[in-house]
Amino acid sequence: MARLVTKSTELVRLGITQAKPMLQVWAQYAKVELTPPTFKDISAIRSGFSRLIHSARTGRYREVTVREAIINTLVAAEIYCWFYVGECIGKRHLIGYDV
């Protein structure tokens, strides 16, 4: 029994040392990506929306590369998935509403 406890503590210690660098990188990205927009970000958001509308009007969306199209598709899928998760949290069910 003592050997089992010793082995399990060694495995936990090894897991912690292996996970620390990954968690530090994750925390670094989380600080940047998960913060809400600030007031100085609003101008960049507005210009991005205006460029999007301009490209839709002029037909420039047909000139994107395959890489950009794939990235845009993945971003749209991520937004849809987060919307769906929010809906499930809001209605407290996976299927239908509890009337």
Side-chain angles (χ1 to χ4, degrees):
M1 189 65 165
R3 286 175 40 199
L4 179 66
V5 171
T6 305
K7 281 286 189 187
S8 63
T9 56
E10 287 176 15
L11 283 175
V12 168
R13 193 173 300 129
L14 180 66
I16 289 172
T17 57
Q18 293 289 332
K20 271 188 182 179
M22 287 185 232
L23 288 174
Q24 288 173 346
V25 170
W26 181 83
Q28 180 183 5
Y29 284 125
K31 282 181 186 177
V32 174
E33 296 293 331
L34 297 177
T35 56
T38 61
F39 286 116
K40 53 184 180 175
D41 295 335
I42 292 175
S43 63
I45 294 169
R46 279 188 181 161
S47 67
F49 276 127
S50 66
R51 279 187 278 130
L52 179 69
I53 291 170
H54 179 69
S55 69
R57 285 184 184 160
T58 59
R60 189 174 182 283
Y61 63 89
R62 290 180 255 163
E63 300 173 8
V64 295
T65 63
V66 173
R67 178 181 167 86
E68 290 174 353
I70 290 172
I71 290 172
N72 291 341
T73 304
L74 290 175
V75 168
E78 180 185 9
I79 291 170
Y80 175 75
C81 288
W82 279 114
F83 174 78
Y84 183 74
V85 167
E87 274 288 308
C88 290
I89 291 171
K91 63 186 176 185
R92 296 188 180 138
H93 296 282
L94 287 177
I95 302 170
Y97 286 90
D98 189 19
V99 181

